[in-house]
Amino acid sequence: MGEISIRSLIEQVQQGQIRVPAFQRGFVWDHDRIAFLMDSIYKGYPFGSAILWQTKEQLTSERRLGPFSLPEPTADFPISYVLDGQQRLTSIFGTFQTELEPEDDEMWPRIYFDLKAEQDLQESQFLALENEDVDPARHFPVNTFFDTTAYRKATKGFTDEQAEAIDSVQAVFKEAKIPTQDIVTDNRGKVAIVFERVNRLGVELDVLQLLSAWTWSDEFDLQTRFAELAAILAPFGFGEVGDDSNLLLRCCAAVVAKDAAPNTLMNMSGTEVRDRFDEIENGIQGAIDFVRTHLKVEKLGNLPYPAVLVPLTVFFAHKDGQSIRLSDEQRRVLLRWLWRSFFSRRFSAGVLRNLKRDIEEIVKLKDGKPSALADVTVNLEADFFLEKKFSVAAVDSKTFVLLLVNAQPLSFVSGSLVSLATVLSAYNRSEFHHLMPQAFLGKIGVDTASASVLANFAMISAADNKILGGVAPSIYRAKMPAGKITEILEHAVCPEKELFDDDFQAFLQARAALLTAQANGLMT
C-alpha cells in the first residue's frame, strides 16, 4: 500500500502524470456526493484506496478526468493510470485545483465548509452550493485550501476564533493522504485482468462503483445481460439504463433480497440472480413503462431521481407468463409517492435508508396490503418556485419540468399541443424560456438571477421564443393565436392578467401560487 497527498495529486494531474484509460467509465458522481466525500476525509473516515497502474508507455486512447481535459505528460515518467478510484480522485482534484477549467460548459460544483453547522458524526458539514445560496459569514470555499493567495483573501476579516476554526479544517486536508495500491508493469494483459477483477469482485464497496462479486456460469454473464437489456430499452429512450451498473445491480438486489444496500449486493447468490433475471428484466421494463406513461418521461435523464426505478422494479417484477394488474388505487399511490419524493428531495440524502423503506412498503402495495408508501412528508410552498433557479440538470428543475409536462403544454405561437416526446428526448435549455423575457426585464432593472427563477419559465421552444421576441408580454400577446390565449396559459399554469400587466413581481407571486396549487394537487 502506498499513499499520495492531496497537494501531490493536484500537481501530478496538472503535470499530466495521473491519467484515465479509455476503458474506464466516465465521472458519474453528483454534487452532494462530492461534498459527502469531503466530509469523510475531514472526519477521518475510510474512503477507499485508489488502484494506479504505473507504466512508461502512454496509451493512445484516454478519457478526461471528469470534465477536465488533461495536459500532456511531462518528461518525468512513469505515468499513473487510474484503474479504480476514479470518482474519488476526480472529486478531490476538482474540488481543490484552481488551474484547469471544466470542458463543454460543464460547471464543477463549489464545495463549502459550513462554519455554523453543529459537529455531527453522521451529518455532513460540507455543502455543494450555488452562488446565490452562499452566505459568506457561514460558508467557506474549500477550493482555497491549497491556494495561499485565495485562502488569505477568503479569511480576510475573520475573527481570531473563526480563523482558528477554518485553519484547523484546512490543516486536515493539507495533511490528508489518499491510500493507493500501485501496479508497476508494462504488461497490458496483467492490467486488463486486474481491471476486470476490480469490477467483478467489488474491491471498492462504494455504492456508485460497486460491481458484481458473484461467479457467473459460462451460460450467464451479468454484463452481457445488462447490455442486452439496454438494447431492448434503447428504442424507448432508456438505453442508458443499461450503462448504469449501479442502478441495475440495485434493481437486482431489490427484487431478489428486497434490499438495495451494498452488503446485500455482495451476499446475493449468483444462482438465484440467474434464475430470477427474467423476472428482474420484466420489473425494470414495467417500471420504465410506468414513468413513461404516467409522468411522460422519455429518457433516464428526465427523472429527478433515477433511484425511484428500484422500488418500481420490485412492484412490476413478475415471472414470464404472468403479469401485474395495476388497480386505480395502486396507480394513485405510486404517483403520489413519486411526486412527493421529487418535491421533498428525499433521495438527495439517505438514499439507501429511503430505498429500503420504500421497497418494504411497495411490496405491501403489490400484495394488496395496507401500505404507507405515499406517506412522504413534504411541505411545498410558493418559495420553491420563487427562489429556485432554472437549470435543466438540477433536480428541482427536472421536477418543475415534469409538472409543466403534466399540464399538457400548448405552443405559444400555434396553440397546438407541444410534442413532449421530442422535447423530453432532446431535453435541453432551448425548449424552455422566460415568460417575461430577460431583454424586457433588463430594461426595467431586473437582474439575470432574479429573472431566472422557476416561476418565470415555461415550455416554449426556441422557434416560438424567437417569434415572440424579447419584448414585454403585453406586446408579444399580439403574436399569440387569438381565441386560444387563455387556453394556452392555462396549460402553462400561468396567470393571464398578471402576465400581460407587465408587472414582474405581481406576476411571479401569481404564477408561483398557481404552480404550488398544481403541485400539491399531484401530491394529494
Side-chain angles (χ1 to χ4, degrees), residues 332-358:
R332 186 190 69 82
V333 171
L334 289 175
L335 288 172
R336 185 168 178 254
W337 162 68
L338 285 168
W339 285 111
R340 284 178 167 261
S341 294
F342 296 156
F343 277 109
S344 66
R345 295 177 59 91
R346 66 192 299 265
F347 286 108
S348 289
V351 176
L352 292 176
R353 180 182 67 251
N354 288 326
L355 279 178
K356 183 174 179 60
R357 177 263 183 195
D358 289 351

Side-chain angles (χ1 to χ4, degrees), residues 390-438:
F390 185 84
S391 170
V392 289
V395 167
D396 294 328
S397 294
K398 289 182 179 182
T399 303
F400 171 67
V401 167
L402 290 184
L403 177 68
L404 296 181
V405 167
N406 183 266
Q408 298 181 305
L410 305 178
S411 164
F412 271 55
V413 173
S414 69
S416 60
L417 280 169
V418 171
S419 175
L420 297 176
T422 301
V423 170
L424 294 178
S425 294
Y427 195 62
N428 55 54
R429 178 64 176 74
S430 66
E431 299 295 337
F432 306 94
H433 288 90
H434 302 78
L435 285 158
M436 287 208 174
Q438 281 183 289

Side-chain angles (χ1 to χ4, degrees), residues 159-344:
T159 64
D160 289 343
E161 182 180 0
Q162 290 174 320
E164 182 178 344
I166 200 62
D167 282 349
S168 67
V169 179
Q170 181 199 36
V172 171
F173 287 94
K174 295 184 78 169
E175 297 170 5
K177 298 292 191 294
I178 305 165
T180 64
Q181 298 181 54
D182 300 324
I183 303 167
V184 183
T185 181
D186 286 327
N187 184 331
R188 296 191 184 186
K190 180 178 178 180
V191 174
I193 292 172
V194 170
F195 182 75
E196 189 268 344
R197 290 190 179 183
V198 165
N199 284 336
R200 281 187 172 272
L201 299 178
V203 170
E204 182 184 16
L205 300 183
D206 183 273
V207 174
L208 291 178
Q209 300 231 10
L210 185 66
L211 291 177
S212 175
W214 305 305
T215 300
W216 305 103
S217 69
D218 292 337
E219 294 77 29
F220 184 90
D221 179 80
L222 185 63
Q223 300 304 314
T224 299
R225 292 300 295 269
F226 281 175
E228 292 172 350
L229 178 60
I232 293 172
L233 299 175
F236 304 99
F238 278 80
E240 57 193 311
V241 171
D243 296 326
D244 192 337
S245 297
N246 173 65
L247 178 62
L248 291 173
L249 283 170
R250 283 181 174 177
C251 290
C252 289
V255 172
V256 173
K258 302 300 182 283
D259 188 8
N263 61 319
T264 303
L265 292 173
M266 294 301 295
N267 294 324
M268 274 196 300
S269 161
T271 299
E272 188 172 12
V273 174
R274 286 197 297 272
D275 292 344
R276 300 185 64 179
F277 199 77
D278 287 341
E279 183 180 346
I280 294 167
E281 282 187 322
N282 291 336
I284 293 171
Q285 292 181 58
I288 290 172
D289 183 64
F290 185 84
V291 296
R292 290 185 75 246
T293 301
H294 297 288
L295 295 182
K296 308 302 181 186
V297 170
E298 291 294 330
K299 65 178 184 178
L300 189 64
N302 297 154
L303 273 174
Y305 295 108
V308 298
L309 293 178
V310 177
L312 283 173
T313 294
V314 174
F315 185 88
F316 288 103
H318 63 87
K319 296 179 181 179
D320 286 338
Q322 300 178 350
S323 61
I324 300 298
R325 294 183 179 180
L326 185 66
S327 71
D328 289 340
E329 175 61 15
Q330 287 173 324
R331 182 181 298 104
R332 186 190 69 82
V333 171
L334 289 175
L335 288 172
R336 185 168 178 254
W337 162 68
L338 285 168
W339 285 111
R340 284 178 167 261
S341 294
F342 296 156
F343 277 109
S344 66

Side-chain angles (χ1 to χ4, degrees), residues 43-61:
K43 291 173 179 172
Y45 296 156
F47 56 91
S49 62
I51 299 179
L52 301 177
W53 164 37
Q54 294 184 4
T55 178
K56 294 180 180 179
E57 183 179 358
Q58 184 176 358
L59 299 179
T60 57
S61 181

